[in-house]
Amino acid sequence: MYDRTYYATHPDMMECVSNEELRARHLVGGLFRSGEIILTYSHGERFIIGGAVPGKGALDLPRQQEPPSTAGHSLLERRELGIVNIGTGEGRVTVDGETVMLAKYETLYVPMGTTDVSFAGDGARFYLLSVPAHCAFPMRKLTLTDTSPMERGSLEASNERTIHQLILPHSCQSASLCLGLTMLKPGSVWNTMPPHVHERRSEIYLYFDLPEEDRVFHYMGQPDALRHIVIANEEAVISPPWSVHMGSGTRAYAFIWAMAGENQDYADMDVLDICQLA
């Protein structure tokens, strides 16, 4: 059922891990394959990270396969789901018989207890994020105009960007999942400035809208011992609670950030001065 499983890591492993091992433990690639739903599983906050590319057909969200006592049950029996269309074409998501159309950058929150979810739309590319939930909230579609965008950074500092807070308590109720979209302005390449750590939440970044020949250098690790992973278009990275997360690309791009943990306070972070990093 899961293409890969990622296990939780300790910061001590950063001292001796090779680049190949670092990528194997934190880089999530190969999510978007035509005609398939790809799901990966992270033990950090029990995230499911996935992609669905229906092409000219339709795809159904898989059901649970194990343990045997839950085989055949809905994957969302005890989970909530966030869906973002990052493709060029409009997509169709059907949730327990109700159909919702999603254009590029549009998001759908799907509650715990949902039985069936299917995807369709040639040109649509659905990014999927699911975490455990303790209660069900109403399904909601969100567009970039549904929340007040946050303008941050400057062109002079190469980090002018717009932050869209989509699934957060002030915009869309959820049990644990927080999700948003950040879009860098042309000429800007740095994201998540100032850098920070939040010990009470894990975070997933998906980098996209990046030309095939370009890359993002994603920085992680403890502030005094940074490492980096080179990331291509439509690849994600798992950021543990103890890790700094920031990146710089060879040109402007967009990224989706998703968090889950013991709180949903967007401002709950330990902000670092760039001069503290080593």
Side-chain angles (χ1 to χ4, degrees):
M1 177 176 176
Y2 296 111
D3 194 61
R4 283 195 60 185
T5 298
Y6 295 82
Y7 293 93
T9 55
H10 190 279
D12 285 355
M13 72 90 185
M14 298 290 281
E15 297 178 5
C16 57
V17 69
S18 69
N19 281 359
E20 290 76 15
E21 291 170 321
L22 188 68
R23 292 174 65 86
R25 294 176 186 181
H26 297 278
L27 181 66
V28 185
L31 290 174
F32 301 97
R33 303 177 195 168
S34 182
E36 296 185 60
I37 290 181
I38 305 297
L39 302 178
T40 65
Y41 190 93
S42 170
H43 282 269
E45 313 301 347
R46 304 288 173 176
F47 260 107
I48 292 175
I49 309 158
V53 185
K56 295 185 181 302
L59 298 170
D60 296 327
L61 190 68
R63 293 184 172 272
Q64 297 183 49
Q65 295 182 3
E66 54 184 38
S69 61
T70 63
H73 290 207
S74 167
L75 187 66
L76 302 183
E77 182 177 32
R78 297 288 301 277
R79 286 180 164 275
E80 57 191 358
L81 172 67
I83 304 167
V84 186
N85 183 5
I86 66 168
T88 56
E90 188 175 40
R92 182 172 69 254
V93 183
T94 303
V95 179
D96 286 347
E98 180 178 349
T99 297
V100 180
M101 303 302 295
L102 295 182
K104 185 169 185 177
Y105 304 131
E106 292 186 338
T107 301
L108 183 66
Y109 170 77
V110 180
M112 179 189 78
T114 297
T115 302
D116 297 302
V117 182
S118 66
F119 306 90
D122 195 10
R125 301 169 79 80
F126 298 103
Y127 179 47
L128 315 177
L129 291 151
S130 174
V131 291
H134 61 275
C135 60
F137 292 96
M139 183 171 73
R140 182 168 178 191
K141 173 182 174 178
L142 299 116
T143 71
L144 298 189
T145 61
D146 287 330
T147 60
S148 298
M150 300 168 58
E151 302 295 340
R152 294 292 185 270
S154 67
L155 186 58
E156 291 77 11
S158 302
N159 65 357
E160 187 177 11
R161 63 201 188 277
T162 303
I163 302 171
H164 299 275
Q165 298 177 321
L166 296 169
I167 301 177
L168 279 164
H170 66 275
S171 56
C172 175
Q173 286 185 300
S174 67
S176 177
L177 181 64
C178 299
L179 183 149
L181 168 67
T182 299
M183 307 171 75
L184 275 70
K185 301 292 179 65
S188 289
V189 295
W190 282 96
N191 66 60
T192 317
M193 301 301 287
H196 58 266
V197 174
H198 33 70
E199 288 274 359
R200 300 167 68 193
R201 294 176 294 190
S202 296
E203 188 159 5
I204 313 294
Y205 273 25
L206 174 80
Y207 293 99
F208 70 108
D209 279 357
L210 187 70
E212 201 62 36
E213 67 275 13
D214 287 287
R215 295 293 184 270
V216 171
F217 293 76
H218 179 88
Y219 294 90
M220 62 176 299
Q222 295 188 300
D224 60 350
L226 288 189
R227 297 288 299 273
H228 74 273
I229 298 177
V230 181
I231 295 181
N233 185 50
E234 295 185 351
E235 290 185 329
V237 63
I238 298 169
S239 179
W242 47 264
S243 178
V244 167
H245 40 279
M246 63 178 187
S248 180
T250 52
R251 70 175 62 221
Y253 50 92
F255 67 97
I256 294 167
W257 44 269
M259 297 179 286
E262 65 173 287
N263 72 87
Q264 295 177 296
D265 180 5
Y266 179 79
D268 180 13
M269 59 185 75
D270 297 323
V271 175
L272 303 166
D273 186 285
I274 195 73
C275 297
Q276 292 177 261
L277 306 180

